[in-house]
Amino acid sequence: MAALFGRRMRRGAASTAVAAAAMAALSASGAPSAVSEQPAAAAADRPSAGAPGQEDPSITGDSPYYTELPELKGPGRNDPPDETPTTGSAESGIPATVLDAYRKAEASLAASNPRCRVPWELLAAIGKVESGHARGGRLDTNGTTPSPILGPVLNGVGFADISDTDGGAYDGDTLHDRAVGPMQFIPQTWESWGRDGNGDGRRDPNNIYDAALAAGSYLCAHDRDLTVERDLHQAILGYNRSQEYLRTVLRWYDHYRKDAHEVPDGSQPAPGAPAGTGGTTPSPAPVSPGTPSPSPTKPGKPAKPAEPGDGSPSKPTPPPTTPPPTTPPPTTPPPTTPAPATRLVDLGDGALSAPAGERFADRPAVRAERADKKPAARAKVRFTVAGETGTTFEGGATTVTVTTKADGVAKAPALLAGGKPGALTVKATLLGTSEPVTLGLRGEVTAPRADKLVRTDETGLTCGAGDTFEGRIALTATRDGEAAPGVAATATVLAGAEPADGEKAADKGPYFLTPGDEPADDRRTRELTLTTDAKGNLLLPELHTDDTTGTFRLRVETTGGAVVVLELEVTEAA
């Protein structure tokens, strides 16, 4: 059957006043329930793009969707007048690549967000109503549509009014946004929720693996548990603020949970084309306000021919009336190709720096610009780490390629500092130009640090004058709860029990002996630099005393600011 299109409801009272009656509407229509038996979660304010009732656009910008429904099965089921079921087993078939993408998205989210429990059948239901499973599985070997699936121009005529946010990078329109791809993301929502579902290093809304994972991530926002009825409904309504949409998705969700199977890619007619024609899928046509949704013609009895009366000829047929002219729908401007990037601009505020073994706080970032100095979207930038510090990008790679966003910005993944302090360079190269443009971003790996230092021995800290303290003082340095190896520490003997401004190492009292063959008096020091071992341990040399009695302090401080201060007491000689 030909696909039916529905117009997404505008935000406002029309879409929110009936939210509480969602399940009542389902029950009244005889639609099967697709929710858990658990009680609904308590309502909470969850500010986010796509949350029902907000002023932000929905995930699709309120663009059209397919309204055909699966066949209802079982006793006691009655379709409402506008719910003409499809027939045959084709309605349960999902193209192989599309089905694989839904299932992989479910598995990925089960690992990264187990609380959400998003089922692949829900992704399939949304993919069905948004694009007919990527036009019936018309995809290349990577899962990308040969040509973009675009919704109508969101210029406020029948739909949301969203000015261009991506410079035409995703939808080819530099005036207004359009929903893009198998799961119909508008560009600004894709920038927030786009994911790389097939591991190719790109986030492409036209790729079913990327789009399915992004849709699942969006549905799981705000710590939702999709086995809870309220969370499930709120997630779906964030996609489209329409109770009709909610009902349609739930019907397909319930259908796929009971009856779904894999079919070859491209074996089904694209939505909108008569069965068996194999036609292509047009973008869903907007429905003008006040225009009833089209419905298939039901078979009926043939019209009865006119019968003449009392031998006279049949009555003449009145001439057909001419319908009033209608305003043609707005035309869609052809996609424009943005000018290519020609230069890179460093967006950093100085050298990148991080202690050895830690994550850099800042990520290398550049902006690709066109010849007119405007941002260049979807440009390819390759980042490469050079140097002898052992620094890599997160994941262990030393080279990554990033696609710029609508603002022309490309950010490399986080840098992980290697174990060897020293200088490094991150090279950013603009690809796709006749002469690649390269920027060198400076960086540095500094000495490792510790954020905590604790004493681990039980040595006594009282000694007679002219003697040696019993045992050796031991400490352990850690960083973020883990052992901090290779951290420099300074041990200083200070005079008095209380700290003073600008104080320096004492010139009398307890002292260390540095290694060497010189006489002991020449090797005395009251300030010593040490380094933690592979387990973050620090073992100080023996402490000796001269003939000065009184109270002293031993201050041990590491790189990173971890400090331990111990009080030393020197008494009269025995």
Side-chain angles (χ1 to χ4, degrees):
M1 62 174 286
L4 307 178
F5 301 117
R7 183 170 63 86
R8 302 177 191 272
M9 295 175 63
R10 292 180 180 274
R11 294 185 300 276
S15 61
T16 58
V18 290
M23 289 309 296
L26 285 169
S27 300
S29 67
S33 172
V35 296
S36 166
E37 295 300 324
Q38 299 181 33
D45 293 329
R46 299 174 175 177
S48 169
Q54 293 194 151
E55 291 307 315
D56 292 333
S58 65
I59 194 170
T60 57
D62 298 342
S63 53
Y65 60 93
Y66 294 98
T67 61
E68 63 180 350
L69 295 170
E71 181 179 4
L72 292 177
K73 299 179 180 180
R77 297 290 192 181
N78 294 309
D79 287 324
D82 63 339
E83 295 179 5
T84 302
T86 60
T87 58
S89 60
E91 69 176 5
S92 300
I94 301 176
T97 300
V98 181
L99 180 59
D100 183 56
Y102 296 149
R103 286 174 168 163
K104 285 184 176 177
E106 177 192 56
S108 176
L109 290 165
S112 63
N113 190 355
R115 170 182 165 78
C116 178
R117 292 181 279 189
V118 58
W120 70 261
E121 294 91 343
L122 178 59
L123 297 174
I126 292 175
K128 174 68 174 179
V129 302
E130 292 298 338
S131 69
H133 299 312
R135 296 173 174 155
R138 283 158 177 78
L139 304 163
D140 64 17
T141 55
N142 295 320
T144 303
T145 58
S147 59
I149 301 175
L150 298 175
V153 179
L154 299 176
N155 57 6
V157 181
F159 310 107
D161 186 2
I162 304 178
S163 298
D164 176 60
T165 62
D166 66 332
Y170 293 119
D171 55 16
D173 191 329
T174 57
L175 296 178
H176 293 89
D177 275 347
R178 304 173 68 173
V180 181
M183 305 303 278
Q184 290 288 279
F185 279 82
I186 55 175
Q188 63 176 312
T189 311
W190 181 258
E191 284 300 318
S192 299
W193 293 98
R195 299 290 186 268
D196 178 13
N198 60 355
D200 64 355
R202 301 178 60 223
R203 301 183 308 151
D204 185 358
N206 298 298
N207 181 276
I208 186 60
Y209 290 96
D210 295 0
L213 183 58
S217 300
Y218 178 86
L219 295 171
C220 289
H222 311 305
D223 202 28
R224 291 188 183 114
D225 177 356
L226 297 185
T227 63
V228 175
E229 178 181 305
R230 186 181 187 86
D231 283 3
L232 174 67
H233 286 200
Q234 194 171 44
I236 296 172
L237 287 170
Y239 228 101
N240 180 309
R241 297 180 181 87
S242 161
Q243 292 300 310
E244 169 68 18
Y245 182 86
L246 172 64
R247 181 175 60 80
T248 303
V249 169
L250 290 177
R251 279 282 297 275
W252 280 109
Y253 174 33
D254 189 76
H255 177 77
Y256 286 137
R257 291 198 305 168
K258 296 175 181 178
D259 184 16
H261 62 274
E262 178 184 306
V263 298
D265 290 347
S267 63
Q268 296 175 315
T277 64
T280 58
T281 307
S283 294
V287 179
S288 301
T291 302
S293 299
S295 58
T297 303
K298 295 183 179 180
K301 295 180 181 180
K304 184 178 180 181
E307 298 180 2
D310 60 15
S312 62
S314 301
K315 295 181 180 180
T317 303
T321 58
T322 303
T326 59
T327 303
T331 58
T332 300
T336 58
T337 302
T342 59
R343 64 193 294 259
L344 291 177
V345 177
D346 182 9
L347 298 183
D349 55 1
L352 301 160
S353 180
E358 297 189 45
R359 183 191 305 268
F360 281 69
D362 298 320
R363 293 162 54 187
V366 297
R367 182 174 62 249
E369 293 183 348
R370 307 187 306 232
D372 58 4
K373 296 187 178 181
K374 291 185 178 181
R378 307 204 78 177
K380 303 291 185 184
V381 179
R382 183 175 62 213
F383 292 94
T384 304
V385 182
E388 303 298 326
T389 63
T391 299
T392 67
F393 293 110
E394 194 168 31
T398 56
T399 299
V400 296
T401 300
V402 179
T403 302
T404 61
K405 297 183 179 181
D407 56 4
V409 174
K411 279 190 176 183
L415 284 167
L416 299 179
K420 184 179 179 181
L424 62 89
T425 301
V426 179
K427 296 180 180 179
T429 303
L430 177 62
L431 305 178
T433 58
S434 56
E435 295 184 5
V437 179
T438 299
L439 284 180
L441 313 179
R442 295 177 296 108
E444 180 186 15
V445 176
T446 60
R449 67 178 182 87
D451 55 26
K452 189 175 183 180
L453 188 65
V454 296
R455 184 183 175 195
T456 55
D457 71 288
E458 296 181 356
T459 300
L461 300 180
T462 300
C463 181
D467 205 344
T468 300
F469 282 83
E470 182 181 353
R472 297 168 65 181
I473 296 173
L475 304 104
T476 297
T478 58
R479 180 180 64 247
D480 299 328
E482 302 289 337
V487 176
T490 301
T492 307
V493 176
L494 302 168
E498 298 296 332
D501 293 337
E503 61 182 346
K504 298 181 180 180
D507 56 1
K508 295 180 179 180
Y511 61 88
F512 299 106
L513 288 177
T514 60
D517 298 327
E518 296 85 359
D521 287 350
D522 295 337
R523 293 188 284 119
R524 291 185 180 186
T525 182
R526 291 179 175 87
E527 187 167 18
L528 194 67
T529 299
L530 303 163
T531 302
T532 60
D533 63 15
K535 296 183 178 179
N537 296 324
L538 198 65
L539 184 62
L540 273 59
E542 288 183 325
L543 263 174
H544 307 277
T545 65
D546 57 16
D547 57 1
T548 305
T549 61
T551 300
F552 298 85
R553 284 171 292 121
L554 175 63
R555 177 186 172 89
V556 184
E557 181 175 5
T558 71
T559 303
V563 177
V564 164
V565 178
L566 305 176
E567 188 173 289
L568 307 175
E569 191 71 28
V570 180
T571 61
E572 295 288 345

